C-alpha cells in the first residue's frame, strides 16, 4: 500500500502547452483566503458581489437572484468540461471522464422505465452520449447501441431491481458497474484511474460507516464498489470503534480515526466528509510537480468541481442562515 | 314582550317556561366553562409542541438542504426519483363534550433510504431520519390544532346561545310574567271593586 | 589520408546537429508551455522570454565546437592531411559537446517549461526559475570546454 498517495504516469512532453494554460488558469481559482472572505459575507447577495471579479463574474448578470446560484455553478462546470476537451490531447481521456455521467444517465433511465415516468430532467448533459440519444436508446430498447460497459450496467441494474422489486438496488448495481469500469484496465491514464480507485476505497469505507451507524448492515454486501486498493471485505465486519484501528497501515487511517470519533461524539458526518474531501483534493494537488503530462488538466477539472461544491455549500449556508463555523466545518479545502 | 292573553293558565305556562329557560341557561354555562377549561389545557400543550416542532423542523430542513449542497444536483435528483416511503393517514373521531374531534393515525411505511450510497453523503441519511421523526410530531400537532379550532367554534356557539338566553329570552319571559301578573292583579282589583260596588248597591236596597 | 578528414568532419557535424537538436527540443518545450500561459495571460511575455530562450545555448556550443574543428583541419582554406587516427581523435573529442548539448538541452527545456508554468502562478519568481535552468547549463558548458581542450590538445 502506498504511503500517502498512489503514483501516476510518466511524462508526456506533448502537454507542455496545455499545462502552461492550466497553470495560468489556476491563478483564477479561489484560494483559501478568498474562501474565508466569502464565508464572512452576511448573505447570499454579498457572496455574489464578491464573486464579480472571478471566473463566475461573467454569469452573474444573467442571474435573476442570488437564489439561482446553481445556474451559475452549472455554467462554470460546463465550461470546465469544454476546456478539458479542448486541451486534452487524447480523446480517450475525455471519454473516460465523461463516462461517469453516462452511468448516471443509465441509472435515471432504468428508474424511468420501472416507474413508467419521464425523468428526463434528471439526465446529465455531460456524458459521452447526449441525453436525447440515450433516452431514445432506452425507449427503443436498442441497448446494443450502447458500449459494452454500459450494457453490463443496464443488465445488472435491471436484474438486481427484480430480485426484490427494490429501486434502491438499481442505484447500487449501476454504481458498482460504473466503478468496475472506471477503475479497470480500460482507463489507461494512471492518475485518473487511481483517482477513481481512491474514491472507491473511501466511498466503500464511508458506506460501511454509514450503514453501521444507522443499523442497516444488511445492505453492506450490495453496496460495495469494486476496484479500490483495499480488500474492503476484510473490514466490513469490524465494529465502528475499532474500524479505524484496522486501517492503521493505510493512508486512510487519519481520516477515519478522527472522523469516526467526531461522528460518535456529535452524531454528525461533517468532519468525516471534510477529511475525505481534503484527502482527495490532496491527491489532485500532487500534480503540482508535473510540468509535462495530462495530470494537471485532470486535476484542474476535478479541482474546479470541488470549488463548485464549496461555493454551493457557502450559498446554501448563507441563504439558510447557518453559522460560519457550521459551514466551515464541512467545507473542503480548495484545490 | 310576548303576545299572550293575560290569563292564569298563560301565567302558569310562562312560569314553567322561565324555569326551563333558567335551567337550560345554567347547563349551557356549565358546558361553556368546561369547554373553556379543555381549551386552556389544549392551548398550553399546543404552544409547547408547536415551538418544538417549528424549531426542529427548521433545523432538520436546513440540515437536509446543506447535506444536499455537498452533492451534485443531478445526483440529488437521481437519489429521490423513486422513493420507498409511503404515508397513509387514517382519520378517526372522538367525542369531546359533544364536539367531534379528529384522531389521526398515521401509518408510515418503507425505507427512507431509497438511494445508492456512492453518490450520496451520510449527512443526507441523518437529515432524512431526523425529518422522519419530525413528521410524527407534525401529525400530532395537526390533530391538536384542529381539535382546538373545533372547540373554539363550539365555545362560540355555546356563548351565543347563553347570551341569547340570558339577555333576550329570559328577560322577555320575565317581563311577560310581570305584565300578566300585573294585569291579573289589575283584573282582580277591578273585579274586587266591582264586587264591592255591587255589594253596596245590594245593601242599599 | 582523406579518410581521416571524413571522420573528423563527421565529428564536427555530430557536435553541431546533436547539440542543435537539444536546443530545438528544449526551446520547443519551454516555448509551448509559454504559449499556453500567454493564451490566458498575454502580459507575461516579457518575463517568460528568458526562460524560453535559455535552452538555446547548446546549439551555439555545438556550433563553436564544429567551427573549431573546421578551422583546425583547415577546411576553409587548404585542408591539412589528417591521418585516420587523428580523424578518430577529433571525432571522439567532439562527442562531449554533442551529447552533453543534446541531453542537457532537452532537460533544460523541461526545467524551463516547468519554470514557465511556475511563472504563470508566481510571476515575481521567474528569476528563480532561470537560476534552475542555468544550473543545467553548467553541464553543457563543461561539455563544450572538454571538447575544446581535447581539440586543442590534438596534434595535426
Amino acid at each position: 500500500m502506498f504511503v500517502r498517495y498512489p503514483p501516476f504516469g510518466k511524462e508526456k512532453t506533448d502537454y507542455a502547452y496545455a499545462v502552461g494554460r492550466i497553470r495560468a488558469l489556476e491563478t483564477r481559482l479561489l484560494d483559501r483566503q478568498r474562501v474565508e472572505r466569502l464565508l464572512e459575507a452576511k448573505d447570499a447577495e454579498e457572496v455574489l458581489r464578491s464573486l464579480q471579479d472571478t471566473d463566475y463574474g461573467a454569469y452573474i448578470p444573467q442571474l435573476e437572484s442570488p437564489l439561482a446560484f446553481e445556474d451559475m455553478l452549472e455554467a462554470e462546470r460546463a465550461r470546465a468540461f469544454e476546456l478539458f476537451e479542448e486541451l486534452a490531447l487524447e480523446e480517450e481521456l475525455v471519454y473516460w471522464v465523461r463516462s461517469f455521467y453516462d452511468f448516471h444517465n443509465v441509472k435515471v433511465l432504468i428508474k424511468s422505465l420501472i416507474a413508467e415516468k419521464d425523468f428526463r430532467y434528471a439526465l446529465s448533459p455531460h456524458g459521452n452520449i447526449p441525453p436525447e440519444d440515450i433516452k431514445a436508446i432506452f425507449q427503443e430498447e436498442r441497448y446494443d447501441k450502447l458500449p459494452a460497459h454500459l450494457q453490463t450496467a443496464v443488465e445488472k441494474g435491471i436484474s438486481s431491481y427484480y430480485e426484490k422489486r427494490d429501486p434502491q438496488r438499481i442505484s447500487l448495481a449501476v454504481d458498482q458497474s460504473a466503478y468496475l469500469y472506471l477503475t479497470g484496465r480500460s482507463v489507461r491514464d494512471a492518475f485518473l484511474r487511481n483517482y477513481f480507485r481512491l474514491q472507491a476505497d473511501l466511498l466503500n469505507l464511508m458506506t460501511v460507516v454509514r450503514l453501521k451507524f444507522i443499523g442497516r448492515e444488511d445492505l453492506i454486501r450490495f453496496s460495495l464498489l469494486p476496484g479500490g486498493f483495499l480488500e474492503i471485505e476484510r473490514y466490513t465486519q469490524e465494529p465502528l470503534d475499532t474500524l479505524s484501528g484496522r486501517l492503521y497501515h493505510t493512508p486512510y487511517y487519519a481520516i477515519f480515526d478522527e472522523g469516526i470519533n467526531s461522528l460518535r461524539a456529535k452524531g454528525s458526518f461533517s468532519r468525516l466528509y471534510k477529511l475525505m474531501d481534503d484527502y482527495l483534493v490532496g491527491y489532485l494537488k500532487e500534480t503540482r510537480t508535473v510540468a509535462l503530462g495530462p495530470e494537471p488538466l485532470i486535476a484542474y477539472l476535478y479541482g474546479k468541481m470541488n470549488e463548485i461544491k464549496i461555493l454551493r455549500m457557502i450559498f446554501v449556508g448563507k441563504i439558510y442562515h447557518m453559522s460560519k463555523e457550521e459551514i466551515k466545518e464541512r467545507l473542503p479545502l480548495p484545490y | 314582550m310576548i303576545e299572550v292573553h293575560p290569563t292564569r293558565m298563560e301565567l302558569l305556562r310562562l312560569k314553567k317556561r322561565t324555569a326551563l329557560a333558567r335551567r337550560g341557561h345554567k347547563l349551557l354555562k356549565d358546558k361553556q366553562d368546561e369547554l373553556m377549561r379543555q381549551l386552556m389545557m389544549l392551548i398550553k400543550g399546543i404552544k409547547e409542541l408547536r415551538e418544538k416542532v417549528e424549531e426542529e423542523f427548521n433545523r432538520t430542513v436546513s440540515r437536509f438542504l446543506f447535506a444536499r449542497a455537498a452533492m451534485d444536483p443531478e445526483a440529488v435528483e437521481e437519489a429521490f426519483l423513486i422513493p420507498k416511503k409511503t404515508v397513509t393517514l387514517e382519520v378517526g373521531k372522538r367525542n369531546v363534550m359533544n364536539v367531534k374531534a379528529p384522531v389521526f393515525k398515521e401509518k408510515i411505511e418503507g425505507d427512507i433510504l431509497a438511494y445508492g450510497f456512492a453518490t450520496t453523503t451520510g449527512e443526507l441519511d441523518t437529515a432524512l431520519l431526523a425529518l422522519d421523526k419530525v413528521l410524527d410530531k407534525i401529525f400530532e400537532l395537526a390533530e391538536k390544532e384542529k381539535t382546538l379550532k373545533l372547540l373554539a367554534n363550539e365555545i362560540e356557539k355555546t356563548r351565543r346561545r347563553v347570551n341569547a338566553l340570558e339577555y333576550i329570552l329570559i328577560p322577555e319571559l320575565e317581563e311577560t310574567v310581570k305584565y300578566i301578573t300585573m294585569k291579573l292583579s289589575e283584573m282582580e282589583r277591578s273585579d274586587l271593586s266591582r264586587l264591592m260596588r255591587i255589594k253596596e248597591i245590594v245593601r242599599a236596597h | 589520408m582523406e579518410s581521416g578528414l571524413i571522420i573528423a568532419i563527421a565529428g564536427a557535424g555530430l557536435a553541431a546537429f546533436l547539440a542543435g537538436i537539444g536546443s530545438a527540443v528544449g526551446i520547443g518545450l519551454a516555448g509551448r508551455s509559454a504559449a499556453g500561459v500567454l493564451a490566458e495571460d498575454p502580459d507575461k511575455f516579457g518575463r517568460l522570454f528568458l526562460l524560453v530562450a535559455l535552452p538555446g545555448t547548446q546549439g551555439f556550443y555545438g556550433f563553436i565546437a564544429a567551427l573549431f574543428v573546421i578551422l583546425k583541419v583547415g577546411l576553409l582554406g587548404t585542408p591539412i592531411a589528417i591521418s585516420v587516427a587523428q580523424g578518430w581523435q577529433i571525432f571522439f573529442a567532439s562527442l562531449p559537446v554533442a551529447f552533453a548539448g543534446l541531453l542537457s538541452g532537452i532537460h533544460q527545456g523541461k526545467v524551463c517549461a516547468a519554470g514557465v508554468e511556475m511563472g504563470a502562478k508566481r510571476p515575481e519568481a521567474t528569476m528563480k526559475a532561470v537560476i534552475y535552468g542555468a544550473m543545467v547549463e553548467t553541464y553543457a558548458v563543461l561539455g563544450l570546454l572538454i571538447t575544446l581542450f581535447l581539440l586543442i590538445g590534438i596534434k595535426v
Side-chain angles (χ1 to χ4, degrees):
Chain A
M1 189 95 205
F2 41 87
V3 172
R4 182 126 179 89
Y5 289 118
F8 32 93
K10 299 204 306 195
E11 202 175 63
K12 288 194 190 155
T13 54
D14 293 332
Y15 276 95
Y17 170 77
V19 178
R21 264 187 82 172
I22 290 288
R23 294 292 179 219
L25 287 170
E26 281 174 6
T27 53
R28 296 218 280 270
L29 289 177
L30 303 174
D31 59 13
R32 282 186 80 158
Q33 278 176 325
R34 291 209 73 150
V35 171
E36 293 274 335
R37 249 186 294 145
L38 287 175
L39 272 175
E40 297 286 334
K42 58 177 172 22
D43 59 20
E45 264 105 19
E46 207 179 307
V47 175
L48 211 57
R49 276 199 299 272
S50 318
L51 288 173
Q52 285 282 10
D53 57 336
T54 66
D55 286 340
Y56 298 90
Y59 310 113
I60 293 183
Q62 296 145 4
L63 287 184
E64 302 159 347
S65 87
L67 298 177
F69 62 86
E70 196 65 57
D71 295 338
M72 175 175 86
L73 297 179
E74 186 55 38
E76 184 66 7
R77 176 157 73 150
R79 194 186 74 98
F81 269 110
E82 276 168 21
L83 186 75
F84 186 71
E85 221 172 299
E86 190 194 324
L87 291 177
L89 298 172
E90 295 129 335
E91 280 185 24
E92 306 167 303
L93 266 181
V94 179
Y95 187 81
W96 297 325
V97 165
R98 285 191 183 279
S99 22
F100 182 80
Y101 299 93
D102 286 328
F103 283 104
H104 166 86
N105 287 341
V106 164
K107 266 193 278 191
V108 170
L109 287 167
I110 293 181
K111 287 192 173 177
S112 261
L113 214 64
I114 301 288
E116 293 177 12
K117 294 206 195 122
D118 188 354
F119 290 138
R120 86 173 75 183
Y121 59 87
L123 288 175
S124 167
H126 301 301
N128 290 300
I129 309 178
E132 287 311 312
D133 293 355
I134 194 168
K135 191 155 163 300
I137 289 181
F138 270 78
Q139 273 172 338
E140 299 161 15
E141 302 205 342
R142 292 293 312 276
Y143 302 116
D144 51 298
K145 287 192 186 168
L146 289 174
H149 54 271
L150 290 182
Q151 281 190 38
T152 328
V154 174
E155 281 166 34
K156 290 242 163 72
I158 294 190
S159 57
S160 62
Y161 169 72
Y162 281 111
E163 267 174 40
K164 282 267 179 70
R165 297 206 151 244
D166 183 353
Q168 186 179 34
R169 298 291 206 89
I170 300 174
S171 300
L172 294 176
V174 176
D175 283 341
Q176 281 175 334
S177 301
Y179 275 86
L180 187 66
Y181 175 72
L182 294 168
T183 58
R185 298 268 148 227
S186 324
V187 175
R188 286 193 301 277
D189 182 270
F191 179 75
L192 190 62
R193 186 165 86 244
N194 285 339
Y195 183 66
F196 287 121
R197 294 188 73 183
L198 286 176
Q199 271 190 356
D201 273 341
L202 289 169
L203 289 173
N204 281 339
L205 288 168
M206 250 344 159
T207 303
V208 168
V209 171
R210 277 163 87 173
L211 290 175
K212 281 188 191 286
F213 188 68
I214 56 172
R216 289 302 308 272
E217 304 182 16
D218 53 301
L219 287 173
I220 289 183
R221 55 199 191 91
F222 303 111
S223 320
L224 294 178
L225 304 169
F229 293 101
L230 292 179
E231 276 175 47
I232 187 70
E233 291 78 13
R234 292 208 267 152
Y235 304 94
T236 55
Q237 302 299 332
E238 199 71 31
L240 276 183
D241 42 352
T242 52
L243 182 61
S244 54
R246 292 211 47 205
L247 292 168
Y248 192 66
H249 60 291
T250 70
Y252 312 129
Y253 170 69
I255 302 174
F256 287 92
D257 187 41
E258 196 187 329
I260 294 183
N261 282 339
S262 174
L263 176 65
R264 300 174 77 211
K266 295 195 273 186
S268 156
F269 281 92
S270 277
R271 187 93 194 127
L272 187 52
Y273 269 95
K274 175 176 162 56
L275 290 168
M276 175 175 113
D277 284 341
D278 283 348
Y279 177 81
L280 285 171
V281 173
Y283 183 58
L284 297 178
K285 288 195 179 155
E286 292 274 296
T287 61
R288 291 261 147 98
T289 56
V290 174
L292 301 162
E295 291 82 0
L297 268 75
I298 301 173
Y300 180 81
L301 179 67
Y302 287 110
K304 195 45 129 158
M305 296 212 252
N306 186 55
E307 181 182 272
I308 288 177
K309 184 153 109 173
I310 291 176
L311 280 179
R312 189 182 302 119
M313 286 200 259
I314 293 181
F315 270 109
V316 170
K318 292 298 171 190
I319 292 177
Y320 293 98
H321 310 297
M322 292 179 65
S323 73
K324 197 159 56 104
E325 290 70 35
E326 254 184 295
I327 306 177
K328 194 166 171 186
E329 197 195 349
R330 175 63 181 92
L331 223 54
L333 292 171
Y335 168 55
Chain B
M1 200 173 80
I2 309 172
E3 285 284 336
V4 282
H5 292 300
T7 66
R8 275 220 163 88
M9 276 239 323
E10 281 296 338
L11 184 65
L12 224 57
R13 218 182 295 150
L14 277 172
K15 278 205 170 149
K16 270 208 197 106
R17 270 179 77 184
T18 316
L20 202 68
R22 284 238 171 81
R23 260 210 318 274
H25 177 258
K26 179 166 187 320
L27 276 172
L28 278 178
K29 255 205 135 184
D30 284 348
K31 176 176 177 183
Q32 188 182 3
D33 291 341
E34 176 62 19
L35 279 173
M36 266 305 206
R37 198 179 63 86
Q38 293 253 349
L39 191 84
M40 282 313 179
M41 266 186 1
L42 199 59
I43 284 185
K44 212 157 63 93
I46 285 184
K47 183 167 184 299
E48 273 176 36
L49 188 60
R50 178 158 262 265
E51 280 173 1
K52 252 205 309 191
V53 166
E54 280 192 357
E55 193 232 317
E56 205 174 311
F57 189 71
N58 283 334
R59 209 165 12 99
T60 38
V61 168
S62 40
R63 264 173 82 179
F64 169 73
L65 290 169
F66 193 63
R68 238 172 74 137
M71 296 165 47
D72 285 338
E74 66 268 0
V76 172
E77 293 286 359
E78 188 270 319
F80 295 121
L81 284 178
I82 305 188
K84 288 200 297 194
K85 220 167 174 65
T86 54
V87 178
T88 13
L89 188 62
E90 272 172 30
V91 182
K93 290 214 242 282
R94 70 184 174 115
N95 222 325
V96 176
M97 306 244 28
N98 222 31
V99 175
K100 295 211 185 57
V103 173
F104 288 162
K105 203 150 68 85
E106 64 269 14
K107 212 156 43 119
I108 302 182
E109 289 176 321
D111 220 333
I112 201 151
L113 298 184
Y115 43 77
F117 300 113
T119 50
T120 59
T121 69
E123 305 153 301
L124 198 68
D125 302 341
T126 46
L128 287 175
L129 288 170
L131 221 53
D132 229 5
K133 278 204 290 219
V134 169
L135 204 66
D136 270 342
K137 294 219 189 78
I138 290 184
F139 278 119
E140 199 187 321
L141 189 68
E143 182 189 300
K144 292 214 166 106
E145 289 198 346
K146 184 67 184 174
T147 309
L148 186 75
K149 213 149 108 197
L150 291 170
L151 272 182
N153 276 345
E154 189 66 18
I155 288 180
E156 186 58 28
K157 265 202 327 222
T158 313
R159 193 176 65 87
R160 266 185 263 136
R161 283 165 67 186
V162 164
N163 285 346
L165 282 177
E166 192 171 315
Y167 296 113
I168 300 181
L169 188 63
I170 294 184
E172 233 178 56
L173 285 173
E174 292 185 338
E175 200 186 320
T176 316
V177 162
K178 246 199 332 215
Y179 166 73
I180 296 185
T181 318
M182 187 187 69
K183 255 298 177 337
L184 281 179
S185 61
E186 215 182 83
M187 286 195 318
E188 231 184 67
R189 261 179 297 168
S190 70
D191 278 353
L192 200 61
S193 60
R194 233 184 285 142
L195 206 59
M196 280 178 52
R197 277 245 305 277
I198 294 179
K199 256 191 170 161
E200 268 183 35
I201 297 174
V202 165
R203 227 180 278 136
H205 276 62
Chain C
M1 290 301 195
E2 300 294 309
S3 39
L5 203 56
I6 296 172
I7 300 169
I9 292 174
L14 215 62
F17 82 73
L18 285 182
I21 290 174
S23 274
V25 173
I27 293 187
L29 284 173
R32 272 183 287 163
S33 246
V37 174
L38 292 181
E40 300 289 339
D41 257 327
D43 320 310
K44 295 213 164 76
F45 178 74
R47 282 200 203 264
L48 298 176
F49 181 76
L50 194 53
L51 281 170
V52 176
L54 202 55
T57 47
Q58 280 82 351
F60 279 112
Y61 300 161
F63 171 78
I64 292 173
L67 200 59
F68 206 81
V69 170
I70 291 173
L71 293 174
K72 194 171 181 73
V73 300
L75 274 174
L76 292 176
T78 23
I80 304 175
I82 308 286
S83 71
V84 174
Q86 284 167 322
W88 279 115
Q89 283 174 7
I90 294 177
F91 181 85
F92 282 112
S94 315
L95 292 187
V97 74
F99 285 103
L102 175 68
L103 295 171
S104 73
I106 294 177
H107 284 287
Q108 189 173 47
K110 292 185 182 173
V111 171
C112 287
V116 162
E117 288 160 14
M118 180 197 80
K121 302 190 91 157
R122 289 189 198 287
E124 65 281 2
T126 37
M127 275 307 136
K128 297 189 184 153
V130 172
I131 292 175
Y132 283 141
M135 286 166 70
V136 187
E137 190 73 21
T138 322
Y139 300 93
V141 174
L142 291 177
L144 176 65
L145 288 177
I146 287 297
T147 291
L148 291 177
F149 284 145
L150 287 173
L151 287 173
I152 292 173
I154 296 173
K155 305 279 182 272
V156 287

